Amino acid sequence: MTALRGYIQGQNTGRNTSLAWPSGTAVGDLCWLYTGGDLPQTGPQSSGWTPVGHKAWWKILDATDLAGPLVVNAERVKAAVFLGADRIGNVSAQA
């Protein structure tokens, strides 16, 4: 079961802006990130983000992500962090 842990609500940003993770964000949480605006968007400035459509990305956060702020290159940023999503992509089979 997943639940919303926190979010970043439509902050106006700029090039390589550092944003604090929502309170309580932990290793294994899922972050969905949207960037908007007219300046050239390159989105999150760390590796491992998966693009999901126009100006949106997702990632299961690890300790490296949480060791520093979320750095983005965009005019506006929205993000949602969900707990309980650390097993996304795991597959099991039963006889």
Side-chain angles (χ1 to χ4, degrees), residues 53-73:
H54 187 64
K55 300 180 184 179
W57 293 266
W58 73 270
K59 184 176 186 183
I60 301 294
L61 302 174
D62 59 30
T64 303
D65 298 311
L66 301 181
L70 171 62
V71 180
V72 296
N73 187 25

Side-chain angles (χ1 to χ4, degrees), residues 21 25-31 46-49 59-68 86:
W21 292 103
T25 300
V27 169
D29 285 355
L30 167 71
C31 182
S46 60
S47 63
W49 290 85
K59 184 176 186 183
I60 301 294
L61 302 174
D62 59 30
T64 303
D65 298 311
L66 301 181
D86 55 336

Side-chain angles (χ1 to χ4, degrees), residues 4-91:
L4 180 66
R5 185 183 296 276
Y7 58 90
I8 298 170
Q9 182 176 350
Q11 289 204 19
N12 291 324
T13 58
R15 296 183 192 279
N16 296 318
T17 298
S18 296
L19 300 169
W21 292 103
S23 179
T25 300
V27 169
D29 285 355
L30 167 71
C31 182
W32 174 87
L33 174 68
Y34 173 80
T35 62
D38 294 328
L39 67 85
Q41 315 287 313
T42 55
Q45 299 300 292
S46 60
S47 63
W49 290 85
T50 302
V52 287
H54 187 64
K55 300 180 184 179
W57 293 266
W58 73 270
K59 184 176 186 183
I60 301 294
L61 302 174
D62 59 30
T64 303
D65 298 311
L66 301 181
L70 171 62
V71 180
V72 296
N73 187 25
E75 281 186 56
R76 283 180 294 285
V77 174
K78 297 176 185 177
V81 176
F82 299 89
L83 61 101
D86 55 336
R87 296 196 43 87
I88 289 176
N90 290 342
V91 177

